[in-house]
Amino acid sequence: MKGRVKKIFDSISRDVDVIVIANHIDPMIDSSFFYVTGYETGLFEGSVAFLYPDGSCVVLVSLLEETSACKGSDEFIVFRSRDEYNSIISERLNDKKRIGINAEELVYKKFELLQKIAPNSTFVDCSKAIISARSIKDKNEIERIRKSCNIASKVADMIPEMLHDGVREDEVAAEIEYNMKKLGADGPSFTTISSFGKNSAEPHYIGGKDTLTDNVFTLFDFGAIYSRYVSDITRTFFFGKASKKDKAIYETVFEAQQLGFDTIQAGIPLNEPHIKVAKFINDTPYKGRFIHSLGHGIGLSVHEMLRLSPLEEGAIEPGMVLTVEPGIYLPGYGGVRIEDDVLVKKNGIEILTTANKEFLEI
Ligand SMILES: [Mn+2]
């Protein structure tokens, strides 16, 4: 896709003659392959995209992917054997002095092959330019993310009905994923986190076999994938009657997220929202219990390289889609996280996930 390839070349500081995006076998497929080609269907194992400074993209695909490649707008070549695959790559690279690669996602074995095919070329890591191009979403990407966020939001609002005495964490996870698919998702964007009670204090707990009992937090972190683009949402509910402390924890996280929303705007440093939110939480009795970064970019991947973390450099820009997900975790007790996806606009933000998040006792 011309505009996207151009965007990558625009932010490369040194001359590069071609950028090679080379997929291995699933799941070691470079997610940027789908950014540059825009392909909506197909797996594209072993496929290679050659990107040129004029914005053009030529794709090398196996016969298996020919039908899927036909639906795209880029020129493609079909290889029918390993030898053909190697010789087409060789033809494309033999006169190229400087070859760009995406070091973030290129499998080492593929890199060795490229080096063997083009022994006299210099390889240049272009991953920074790719990350920066991908971090600013175009209209088409925003529409797909929006759809994915709508599906996740609808399902988040259905969760309270799924909770009853004795239900297992993985049963609720299954209900969440089933309902997302029913509403048009291609699948879950990552393994659904469904956690009850003390398990909710483990930020990346994966739904287990625990059954629901009275008076605990229940936390659900999940997302839909729609036409390759993802959403990522977390909701925490209280099952039973909450204590004053439980309500206070929830309110603190809720206010922390509002502060995050109020802070995020185009032009400010990427690390500022996290620093403000962490300070806010650290001024409460839950000091030190916010143990991850405030958010991250989403798009073709759930964790795009862009972070809302204290260490991130650069500025927030219009077109970025970021999660805002403060949390408080008390080991052995429980945790609360509230996560939404926001689109940064020229003026302000748009919250793309719209599910209810008022404190709810079920
Ligand atoms: Mn997230």
Side-chain angles (χ1 to χ4, degrees):
M1 295 182 83
K2 202 154 190 157
R4 294 184 187 172
V5 175
K6 213 87 208 89
K7 210 160 118 190
I8 294 171
F9 275 95
D10 281 351
S11 53
I12 295 173
S13 45
R14 295 192 59 183
D15 270 2
V16 169
D17 303 310
V18 62
I19 298 173
V20 182
I21 307 275
N23 292 340
H24 196 45
I25 49 170
D26 185 50
M28 287 161 288
I29 307 279
D30 190 329
S31 57
S32 296
F33 176 84
F34 297 106
Y35 176 71
V36 296
T37 60
Y39 291 157
E40 292 189 34
T41 58
L43 185 56
F44 294 97
E45 284 182 322
S47 296
V48 183
F50 300 92
L51 318 181
Y52 297 96
D54 68 353
S56 62
C57 171
V58 176
V59 195
L60 178 60
V61 302
S62 67
L63 194 56
L64 180 72
E65 306 289 356
E66 187 179 16
T67 313
S68 305
C70 272
K71 296 189 213 159
S73 56
D74 295 315
E75 180 190 339
F76 66 90
I77 309 163
V78 177
F79 68 90
R80 288 176 173 76
S81 68
R82 183 72 23 207
D83 282 350
E84 218 174 37
Y85 172 84
N86 288 344
S87 72
I88 293 166
I89 296 176
S90 171
E91 272 165 38
R92 293 257 152 209
L93 300 186
N94 68 18
D95 60 338
K96 303 290 186 277
K97 282 199 184 71
R98 297 174 60 81
I99 300 171
I101 53 164
N102 183 21
E104 287 286 350
E105 295 194 60
L106 180 64
V107 169
Y108 187 70
K109 211 165 168 72
K110 286 281 162 192
F111 181 52
E112 276 185 328
L113 177 72
L114 294 175
Q115 282 180 313
K116 215 171 128 195
I117 290 177
N120 302 316
S121 306
T122 304
F123 287 88
V124 185
D125 177 18
C126 293
S127 55
K128 269 203 173 140
I130 294 170
I131 289 166
S132 106
R134 277 180 55 177
S135 70
I136 312 296
K137 269 66 186 174
D138 57 35
K139 252 193 174 155
N140 173 292
E141 294 181 287
I142 290 167
E143 279 324 299
R144 298 197 213 180
I145 295 171
R146 199 186 287 284
K147 183 85 190 174
S148 176
C149 288
N150 285 344
I151 293 168
S153 301
K154 279 187 188 144
V155 174
D157 280 334
M158 293 162 78
I159 295 173
E161 294 160 38
M162 300 173 192
L163 302 180
H164 56 82
D165 246 331
V167 71
R168 285 193 330 267
E169 290 166 329
D170 56 2
E171 275 182 84
V172 181
E175 287 279 336
I176 290 172
E177 295 184 7
Y178 168 73
N179 280 290
M180 286 197 293
K181 283 207 83 158
K182 252 184 115 171
L183 289 170
D186 299 323
S189 52
F190 56 93
T191 305
T192 297
I193 297 172
S194 169
S195 50
F196 301 160
K198 63 177 177 11
N199 298 337
S200 59
E202 196 180 325
H204 280 166
Y205 178 82
I206 306 290
K209 305 279 178 211
D210 281 14
T211 52
L212 188 53
T213 52
D214 267 351
N215 305 328
V216 290
F217 280 117
T218 63
L219 184 155
F220 308 92
D221 185 348
F222 60 97
I225 180 156
Y226 179 82
S227 195
R228 297 201 197 274
Y229 281 78
V230 306
S231 50
D232 187 3
I233 185 171
T234 306
R235 287 294 182 267
T236 307
F237 308 100
F238 200 86
F239 190 73
K241 189 96 191 82
S243 66
K244 249 182 146 171
K245 173 184 168 181
D246 297 324
K247 282 182 193 160
I249 297 170
Y250 193 92
E251 280 313 312
T252 305
V253 176
F254 186 90
E255 282 172 33
Q257 197 200 29
Q258 295 302 314
L259 175 63
F261 292 153
D262 293 345
T263 308
I264 293 172
Q265 57 168 307
I268 67 158
L270 271 160
N271 64 7
E272 196 177 309
H274 177 98
I275 291 169
K276 277 201 174 160
V277 169
K279 186 182 179 309
F280 172 80
I281 293 175
N282 288 336
D283 284 343
T284 71
Y286 311 106
K287 184 172 192 254
R289 300 319 315 156
F290 173 39
I291 52 177
H292 50 71
S293 51
L294 181 64
H296 51 87
I298 58 166
L300 285 162
S301 314
V302 178
H303 290 155
E304 296 215 330
M305 295 311 291
L306 190 72
R307 304 270 148 175
L308 281 181
S309 94
L311 302 171
E312 194 78 356
E313 290 167 359
I316 294 179
E317 292 177 55
M320 286 181 174
V321 180
L322 302 161
T323 69
V324 183
E325 49 177 315
I328 290 175
Y329 308 93
L330 306 177
Y333 185 79
V336 173
R337 175 165 70 255
I338 308 172
E339 173 180 33
D340 285 292
D341 305 336
V342 306
L343 167 65
V344 180
K345 298 191 155 181
K346 275 195 192 109
N347 297 302
I349 57 167
E350 178 187 346
I351 302 171
L352 301 175
T353 40
T354 52
N356 173 64
K357 60 187 162 190
E358 294 300 318
F359 183 66
L360 207 58
E361 287 168 301
I362 297 156

